[in-house]
Amino acid sequence: MRIHQVLVLLLFPLLTVLSATGVMSAHHSMAGYDTTKVVVLQGVVSEYTWRNPHVWVTWDVKDNTGKAVQWTGELPAINTNLSLGMTKNSLKMGDEIAVTVNPSKLGSPEGRVLKIVKKDGTVVMDINRRGGIQGELQQ
Amino acid sequence: MTTRTIVLIVAVAAAMASSPLTFAQNPPARPNWRPCPRCILDQQVRDAVAKVKDLPFNPRDLSGVWGNNDLLLDTKTVPPMTAWGKQQYEATKAEETAGGLAISNSKDGMLICDPLGYPRSLWVNDGFEFVMLPDRVLQFFEWSHTWRTIWTDGRELPDDPPVARWHGYAIGRWDGDTFVVESSGFDDRSWLSEDRRDRRWGFPHSDQMRMIERYKRASYVSLDVTVTIEDPKTYTQPWVTSGKIGLRPGTEISEYFCVPSESQDFNNRLLRPSVGAAPNK
């Protein structure tokens, strides 16, 4: 990946928790995303779609040459986003954001969003806040 | 002050206390809109449950908002499949790109908003509500904003139903304090569940499937549930799933319709591009 803002992090413990809670896996397989890889991409919001079955956001990320690459990130369904404190007004065009994603296995600019932070440090969404009650209920 | 005067004063005070004018000045608290079962954090669920968990309850009253995908089909006890069952299972396998990547769970009707059918609506519901009526129990599901009717008026299951149903035909009765639901007449296009061991596949069933569900209210906030699936055309043994489903105090069912046009848009915008597959028309 040639985008200079990209930070590659290995966060297996986090991913294990996410997968155990089943929070994001109810609607479709995540087979298209590389869940062993976590990257953070900084850019500017160009579209924010507050819809089911999944909310999505697109943002423009500049590569090493200064050319903008438009990324599209998949978020959970509206109900889960509401639980995380996100609303239909959480993002608007032009917002500067840093988005943590599991990127597409193909290296194309799509990803499964794990966290969004605005330039001023506001955490717009963090999937890890959700919790994990389902496992407890089965005990 | 005469007795007559006192009676008059009391009567006037009583009339004022119940008048619309008085209510307008001191309106009773109105109910608020509540969040949906999946619209709150799990810690908020824990806190709400802790406040009511020891309340007394009627074991024959199941009403309330329950679960949020609390109980999943038990994939540790998948029964052996018949030859026909294996064929159906293989037919559920997701398509692949030329590069050999699975296109998610592309054969799953859920991706295009086909009805989940039963029992899949019990596993994947984002919360459901039991409503107890004199002659039936209604089960409203958040996902797809749909319901199932469980008849308790003494009727029997149809021997040869004229129309197969996605949620089947269901009747209920009380066995002690356990609510027992029997069902049949299912449309075989639905899956029992996606195969959570590998989401490229789903578990099929035939139109011969019969189910027995047992619901026992173990506390104010908990249901013990056992689901037995009998489908000898597909599986050589009954398939039993047991577990608990929790109450979601302070929540209400919202409106999560599965909208085909929105799902198609999502599939073409994200799901298929992420593996290099062309959009569906």
Side-chain angles (χ1 to χ4, degrees):
Chain A
M1 209 169 284
R2 294 184 302 177
I3 299 164
H4 73 275
Q5 291 93 343
V6 170
L7 303 171
V8 179
L9 306 167
L10 293 175
L11 295 173
F12 288 108
L14 167 65
L15 297 170
T16 303
V17 169
L18 290 173
S19 140
T21 60
V23 167
M24 293 182 70
S25 61
H27 172 257
H28 65 86
S29 159
M30 293 294 162
Y33 303 120
D34 186 348
T35 54
T36 67
K37 193 180 285 182
V38 176
V39 300
V40 182
L41 299 145
Q42 295 176 358
V44 178
V45 175
S46 51
E47 184 183 346
Y48 174 47
T49 305
W50 183 253
R51 256 195 216 166
N52 285 320
H54 292 272
V55 173
W56 76 69
V57 59
T58 64
W59 70 111
D60 297 328
V61 180
K62 285 185 180 172
D63 66 13
N64 290 329
T65 66
K67 181 185 167 192
V69 176
Q70 188 173 77
W71 276 74
T72 307
E74 167 188 344
L75 286 86
I78 286 175
N79 51 16
T80 299
N81 284 309
L82 285 169
S83 77
L84 297 169
M86 203 168 182
T87 72
K88 61 184 180 182
N89 299 318
S90 290
L91 293 171
K92 62 181 188 303
M93 280 182 66
D95 282 347
E96 292 183 53
I97 55 174
V99 187
T100 307
V101 299
N102 294 139
S104 148
K105 280 180 179 169
L106 284 181
S108 56
E110 290 93 26
R112 168 199 187 195
V113 175
L114 305 174
K115 188 174 182 180
I116 301 175
V117 182
K118 284 188 177 175
K119 191 181 181 185
D120 65 4
T122 306
V123 177
V124 175
M125 174 270 197
D126 181 351
I127 193 64
N128 205 34
R129 284 190 66 218
R130 172 80 197 184
I133 200 166
Q134 280 146 329
E136 293 174 25
L137 286 164
Q138 293 306 314
Q139 292 173 1
Chain B
M1 191 177 292
T2 65
T3 304
R4 194 171 169 183
T5 307
I6 292 171
V7 168
L8 185 62
I9 290 170
V10 169
V12 169
M16 285 182 68
S18 60
S19 76
L21 181 62
T22 305
F23 278 129
Q25 289 168 343
N26 298 296
R30 292 182 181 177
N32 288 321
W33 294 93
R34 297 176 177 182
C36 74
R38 198 166 178 170
C39 295
I40 54 177
L41 294 174
D42 288 350
Q43 187 58 50
Q44 292 171 291
V45 176
R46 290 186 193 94
D47 293 344
V49 166
K51 287 179 184 170
V52 298
K53 68 183 178 60
D54 296 323
L55 289 179
F57 63 97
N58 175 356
R60 288 194 170 201
D61 182 5
L62 306 181
S63 57
V65 178
W66 298 92
N68 167 17
N69 314 339
D70 285 355
L71 184 65
L72 300 176
L73 179 67
D74 190 346
T75 53
K76 297 187 193 75
T77 58
V78 182
M81 293 181 195
T82 63
W84 186 86
K86 285 176 187 167
Q87 278 183 344
Q88 304 308 306
Y89 180 77
E90 286 306 320
T92 68
K93 186 182 178 186
E95 299 153 295
E96 292 183 351
T97 64
L101 283 176
I103 307 174
S104 190
N105 41 328
S106 65
K107 299 274 185 69
D108 188 346
M110 190 178 193
L111 292 187
I112 53 172
C113 300
D114 277 356
L116 293 186
Y118 214 83
R120 202 174 179 195
S121 285
L122 182 64
W123 327 126
V124 180
N125 49 51
D126 286 12
F128 71 91
E129 181 170 16
F130 273 130
V131 178
M132 315 288 287
L133 297 174
D135 61 349
R136 73 198 85 169
V137 174
L138 302 177
Q139 200 174 8
F140 284 97
F141 303 102
E142 169 86 5
W143 171 265
S144 292
H145 207 59
T146 187
W147 79 95
R148 175 174 77 144
T149 304
I150 304 165
W151 290 97
T152 54
D153 59 358
R155 70 181 67 183
E156 296 182 344
L157 290 174
D159 288 332
D160 185 18
V163 181
R165 293 179 175 174
W166 294 89
H167 278 168
Y169 295 73
I171 56 172
R173 62 183 164 81
W174 287 97
D175 177 9
D177 286 335
T178 300
F179 187 54
V180 181
V181 182
E182 296 177 66
S183 52
S184 63
F186 294 96
D187 191 312
D188 61 7
R189 287 175 292 176
S190 64
W191 291 357
L192 296 179
S193 167
E194 64 280 10
D195 185 345
R196 288 182 173 267
R197 302 170 306 178
D198 188 330
R199 289 288 300 263
R200 287 176 296 174
W201 281 271
F203 291 114
H205 67 82
S206 77
D207 59 2
Q208 304 299 305
M209 177 173 72
R210 297 177 77 91
M211 289 180 50
I212 301 174
E213 297 153 74
R214 300 177 71 84
Y215 298 88
K216 183 174 173 57
R217 192 162 191 167
S219 73
Y220 188 83
V221 295
S222 178
L223 290 177
D224 288 340
V225 183
T226 300
V227 179
T228 304
I229 298 164
E230 297 177 356
D231 184 5
K233 187 173 175 182
T234 315
Y235 302 96
T236 61
Q237 297 167 10
W239 192 345
V240 180
T241 295
S242 297
K244 291 183 182 299
I245 296 179
L247 190 72
R248 292 297 187 272
T251 67
E252 61 193 25
I253 296 298
S254 184
E255 187 195 84
Y256 190 158
F257 279 111
C258 189
V259 181
S261 60
E262 293 183 350
S263 284
Q264 170 102 331
D265 203 16
F266 168 77
N267 295 342
N268 287 338
R269 188 71 183 263
L270 267 152
L271 204 61
R272 298 181 70 87
S274 69
V275 292
N280 272 332
K281 292 179 182 174

